[in-house]
Amino acid sequence: QVQLVESGGGLVQAGGSLRLSCAASGRTFDISTMAWFRQAPGKEREFVARIRWKSGTTWYADSVKGRFTISSDNAKNTVYLQMNSLKPEDTAVYYCAGRKTAFSGAYDYWGQGTQVTVSS
């Protein structure tokens, strides 16, 4: 199995930046794709960004494109989410996720989440 642990959340003013980290351990070689999701109070979980370990191919939700950057350090089995120009609507619990399939499918592993709060 794989364990995912997020860190880096916190309180930041609008326009500020945060970098989230997700450290993967266990059978990390089974993971082809890593992603970030978020869930705000009273709202459904939404996709934020994903990255493929081997190719580095990324995809972003329109709401964060141009502001957020997902990256990975394969040697450290760690994925990052650099969040710039943060807005109050970015406030949510951010979750790291991983899946075995590269192109589609449900995510197999989830972290515990880290709170990001953006003040106006």
Side-chain angles (χ1 to χ4, degrees):
Q1 291 293 314
V2 173
Q3 297 79 46
L4 304 176
V5 180
E6 303 100 331
S7 62
L11 175 65
V12 65
Q13 292 181 316
S17 299
L18 284 174
R19 189 176 77 158
L20 306 183
S21 298
C22 175
S25 60
R27 298 173 62 87
T28 57
F29 51 84
D30 285 341
I31 300 176
S32 66
T33 305
M34 296 288 291
W36 289 95
F37 291 80
R38 67 186 182 186
Q39 186 168 22
K43 297 184 178 180
E44 294 186 348
R45 182 187 64 193
E46 66 173 336
F47 168 80
V48 176
R50 71 169 181 261
I51 186 169
R52 295 175 187 166
W53 282 114
K54 293 184 178 180
S55 68
T57 301
T58 60
W59 192 90
Y60 298 91
D62 288 342
S63 60
V64 306
K65 191 174 297 182
R67 299 188 298 120
F68 291 10
T69 302
I70 188 170
S71 62
S72 64
D73 185 335
N74 293 10
K76 296 182 178 180
N77 293 315
T78 301
V79 64
Y80 305 93
L81 185 68
Q82 178 66 47
M83 305 184 294
N84 299 326
S85 301
L86 282 163
K87 305 174 181 179
E89 51 263 44
D90 294 318
T91 295
V93 177
Y94 284 71
Y95 297 92
C96 178
R99 72 186 185 199
K100 298 177 182 179
T101 57
F103 301 103
S104 64
Y107 284 84
D108 303 292
Y109 311 104
W110 292 86
Q112 81 288 349
T114 185
Q115 177 70 48
V116 172
T117 302
V118 184
S119 62
S120 60

